[in-house]
Amino acid sequence: MDQEMSEINAIEITGLTHRFGERTALNDLSYSVRRGEIFALLGPNGAGKTTTIRLLNGLYSPSAGSIRVLGFDPQTQGQEVRCRTGVLTETNALYERLSARQNLHFFGTLSGMPGAELRSRIEEMLTFFGLQSRADEKVGTFSKGMKQRLALARAVLSRPQILFLDEPTSSLDPESAQQVHELIRSVGQQDGHTVFLCTHHLDEAQKLADRVAILNAGNLLALGTLEELARQFNPGLWVNIDLAQPLSAPLALGDFRGVVQVKQAEQHLEVQVESEKVIPALAAELVRQQAQLLSFQPNKVTLEQIYFQLQENVREGKK
Ligand code: ATP
């Protein structure tokens, strides 16, 4: 990768294939992750998410293709990669018999942080992750949510440029998951961290990610922002309209440019349009036809709709 690309992209993956014996876990993938973005790799069990994180950290060597993390090859420059990245895996790898503060001290020392800087960073992290009041208690007494917050503190302690998160909320209740989401978002905004998040939770990816890559059985089905994916895979958009008065005559929208179909009831309309661009003109047309608008609500496409559309495409052999 040339210098310019490594300044824009934190991660560059080109033609990446990984096989375990006969099984192909990743099949000829090419994509990049930009510096400073939260990038979600989304896919069902066995899609290849953990394998990707291990390859990016130099724990596996690819069967084919190339990887660059911050311009380094994780295979031959693993140490360079690991000292600039933080990892949070499903198992949090904390010492249960040590306190929160001792855990952070241990891992910070391991990563070579100088003593004075480490001590002040530990206090900053304990406060930021809401663990200050339990800092000297053994981690074995912590709830899962607290352990995960501490594991996240550990992962960002040495200010890594890239944070790898593998299913960071998989064992948490909704409240703790939400806390961890908020922390991931603020970690992403701090220090320009790049976050590479692997998850099978659609709402997690939708809430956090700037861009999403959808993986299935080692193949990349789609990649983009939610808006881009919506345009590409779910072009129809429904607008729900409530009227203050029943229509005196049905609205004439059949020939209106960009309208796909219309469902009309007395005081309620559902109009499917080709894209968001049609919406202002549609609203103007309704007013022109003297519809008494009470509410006008385009339904945002969710990642869930896109995801299931893609799975259906796969089943029907469209992709
Ligand atoms: P999950 O959400 O279940 O963790 P994942 O997306 O992380 O799934 P991977 O763990 O990367 O998926 O697995 C991708 C594929 O590679 C699966 O078919 C899995 O069985 C296979 N695989 C993973 N690790 C190994 C291994 N060490 N030996 C053999 N096959 C493996």
Side-chain angles (χ1 to χ4, degrees):
M1 181 172 51
D2 63 33
Q3 190 61 30
E4 205 174 307
M5 288 310 284
S6 76
E7 276 165 20
I8 300 167
N9 294 324
I11 299 170
E12 281 276 331
I13 291 173
T14 316
L16 178 64
T17 294
H18 191 72
R19 294 187 204 92
F20 293 104
E22 294 288 290
R23 182 178 302 131
T24 301
L26 297 174
N27 184 21
D28 193 17
L29 305 183
S30 296
Y31 58 92
S32 51
V33 177
R34 297 175 195 142
R35 284 186 189 246
E37 76 174 336
I38 300 186
F39 183 93
L41 190 60
L42 187 68
N45 293 133
K49 303 182 296 295
T50 302
T51 303
T52 303
I53 288 205
R54 291 192 175 152
L55 283 159
L56 291 172
N57 282 281
L59 301 179
Y60 293 154
S61 73
S63 310
S66 83
I67 303 173
R68 290 292 177 276
V69 178
L70 300 166
F72 298 106
D73 177 350
Q75 253 308 287
T76 55
Q77 298 167 295
Q79 188 50 30
E80 301 289 350
V81 171
R82 282 188 288 276
C83 71
R84 291 170 174 81
T85 57
V87 188
L88 175 65
T89 58
E90 270 176 279
T91 51
N92 58 41
L94 296 165
Y95 288 101
E96 302 254 320
R97 289 190 187 179
L98 297 184
S99 71
R101 189 174 268 120
Q102 286 168 332
N103 263 281
L104 292 179
H105 195 267
F106 175 78
F107 289 110
T109 308
L110 213 58
S111 68
M113 290 177 80
E117 186 198 333
L118 175 58
R119 276 191 296 280
S120 79
R121 180 71 174 158
I122 287 173
E123 296 317 305
E124 189 190 339
M125 290 293 92
L126 288 170
T127 305
F128 185 80
F129 288 95
L131 293 164
Q132 199 53 273
S133 65
R134 305 277 299 268
D136 294 313
E137 290 178 36
K138 284 188 179 147
V139 168
T141 67
F142 284 11
S143 69
K144 279 186 185 163
M146 290 170 69
K147 284 182 189 168
Q148 204 63 343
R149 294 200 320 261
L150 180 60
L152 202 51
R154 180 207 149 174
V156 295
L157 189 66
S158 60
R159 297 194 172 84
Q161 294 179 42
I162 305 180
L163 183 60
F164 292 103
L165 304 173
D166 194 1
E167 305 286 358
T169 61
S170 59
S171 60
L172 303 186
D173 65 35
E175 204 172 52
S176 308
Q178 181 155 341
Q179 277 182 343
V180 169
H181 287 158
E182 278 160 19
L183 291 168
I184 292 171
R185 205 181 287 122
S186 38
V187 159
Q189 284 158 359
Q190 271 194 346
D191 300 337
H193 284 295
T194 305
V195 179
F196 187 93
L197 163 74
C198 288
T199 183
H200 57 252
H201 292 296
L202 297 160
D203 59 334
E204 185 162 279
Q206 173 153 358
K207 251 193 249 168
L208 296 177
D210 297 307
R211 291 193 305 148
V212 178
I214 300 178
L215 202 59
N216 191 315
N219 294 301
L220 192 62
L221 300 185
L223 190 153
T225 63
L226 188 57
E227 288 72 25
E228 286 164 353
L229 297 182
R231 268 200 299 280
Q232 201 179 344
F233 297 102
N234 202 340
L237 176 67
W238 284 93
V239 185
N240 283 324
I241 301 154
D242 287 313
L243 303 173
Q245 285 173 15
L247 292 163
S248 48
L251 291 166
L253 290 171
D255 293 333
F256 194 77
R257 201 155 175 211
V259 168
V260 181
Q261 56 174 313
V262 184
K263 297 180 189 169
Q264 302 198 23
E266 275 210 330
Q267 280 177 253
H268 184 73
L269 294 173
E270 286 171 34
V271 182
Q272 191 185 19
V273 293
E274 281 171 3
S275 74
E276 279 188 352
K277 286 194 190 127
V278 181
I279 288 177
L282 172 67
E285 179 62 16
L286 292 174
V287 172
R288 198 187 67 77
Q289 293 193 31
Q290 296 180 344
Q292 306 281 314
L293 296 184
L294 196 61
S295 73
F296 184 94
Q297 184 66 49
N299 281 335
K300 284 270 173 209
V301 177
T302 63
L303 190 52
E304 187 171 316
Q305 287 168 315
I306 296 166
Y307 184 84
F308 286 113
Q309 178 68 52
L310 282 168
Q311 305 299 332
E312 205 178 303
N313 291 355
V314 170
R315 272 196 301 278
E316 290 172 2
K318 287 190 198 159
K319 187 150 180 189

